[in-house]
Amino acid sequence: MRNLRHALTGGLTEAKVEHAHRGEHTRQQSRCPQCDRLLKARAPVQRTVETLVGLVHLERPYCSCPACRVGLSPLDEVLGLSPGRPQLEVQKAAAKLVTEVPYDEAQRLFGDVTGVGVGSERMPTCTNHVAEGLTGWDVAPSRDEIERRIAEGAAGRLRRPVLVLGIDGA
Ligand SMILES: [Zn+2]
């Protein structure tokens, strides 16, 4: 059962999606997110996404706007899917591990614990997606936290403490 769990839960997810979003599978039209033009849905397009409960296969209508040259699948929007195959929850889980241990070890542990195989070469990509837009200031301790640490280091000493901020990889 442990070996089969992802095939089972992936299949359950597909059934749940189909039931909960029945209207999305037969959708005939959608609005362009840029110009608001009404777009006619084309033949369904298949997509497989990787989640922590296994692979989920989707077949959903696809719309494209010739004027704006954008394509969209309304079901993807409804489900909140992220671009690419591994979904954000997989990327977030991988990112948590790689902040603690090296990429190779993170990849091995991730596979052991989750049963989801993410190649070690994809670990940096996952981390970068999750960290997109973050700067060193976003991950640095807050002003209050730094002041607390300075006070702790300075307690009972005559000289002022030296503060060093180290951010791995930045
Ligand atoms: Zn448009």
Side-chain angles (χ1 to χ4, degrees), residues 32 35 65 68:
C32 172
C35 70
C65 177
C68 303

Side-chain angles (χ1 to χ4, degrees), residues 29-44:
Q29 54 194 23
S30 186
R31 292 248 172 227
C32 172
Q34 284 181 23
C35 70
D36 206 39
R37 179 193 296 213
L38 201 58
L39 309 171
K40 199 167 176 285
R42 293 190 195 168

Side-chain angles (χ1 to χ4, degrees), residues 14-25 75 78-79:
E14 289 163 15
K16 174 75 179 157
V17 167
E18 203 157 325
H19 182 76
H21 304 286
R22 200 171 291 155
E24 291 299 334
H25 293 86
L75 181 63
V78 170
L79 296 176

